[in-house]
Amino acid sequence: MALGVVRIRHVKLPVTDLRRSVAWYRSLLDLEVAAEFAEQGTVRGVQLSAADGGFAIALRERAFCASTPDLDGFDAFALEVESVAALHELAARCERLAIACGGVQDRGEYGANLDIPDPDGTVLRFLAGNVIGPGAFLGVDLDGEGRPSIYAEPKLPV
């Protein structure tokens, strides 16, 4: 436990349409509305939580953020699932809900991922079998086709 931190409480994302995004995240991830944050009577933010308390995602109207952050195309965080089969189940759920996703990318020994852009284009990345873990260094260099090669020593001076 680093400095007493036990988990990430939530990730907060800027959204352009709060009502639409709340519905989208709830339908995709079966999240519950845990909290609302209003300003002068108007709801400007919502926290959505997994029923088991495992993770939470907070949403805030972009126009009422400290700046107007745009995460279009960026994976600001990743969620880990229990297996590659779970990624395929999530991809099938996207298809049933008519939610566009990039399909499961299985990289064999390097794990697998599924990227799902939210209504504002922020990418939710789901991982299974990820090889990055505590206590060891792993360098990954992706070529122009997205194929990884591994290196053992950090390139960035620390």
Side-chain angles (χ1 to χ4, degrees), residues 43-123:
V43 176
R44 300 291 183 209
V46 172
Q47 181 166 321
L48 304 171
S49 296
D52 65 2
F55 72 97
I57 295 174
L59 305 173
R60 172 116 173 120
E61 287 184 333
R62 180 177 292 147
F64 295 90
C65 291
S67 63
T68 53
D70 185 351
L71 301 175
D72 185 28
F74 186 68
D75 58 311
F77 64 97
L79 298 168
E80 190 162 357
V81 299
E82 59 193 10
S83 66
V84 175
L87 290 177
H88 286 286
E89 289 173 22
L90 186 54
R93 182 182 186 114
C94 286
E95 188 173 327
R96 285 191 307 275
L97 295 171
I99 294 174
C101 70
V104 175
Q105 304 297 310
D106 194 335
R107 301 190 194 288
E109 66 182 293
Y110 303 112
N113 71 281
L114 173 66
D115 288 350
I116 306 172
D118 79 359
D120 287 290
T122 301
V123 174

Side-chain angles (χ1 to χ4, degrees), residues 5-17:
V5 176
V6 295
R7 69 181 174 130
I8 295 174
R9 179 75 179 149
H10 69 260
V11 174
K12 187 186 296 184
L13 300 173
V15 298
T16 55
D17 183 329

Side-chain angles (χ1 to χ4, degrees), residues 37-44:
F37 303 94
E39 294 173 12
Q40 299 172 346
T42 303
V43 176
R44 300 291 183 209

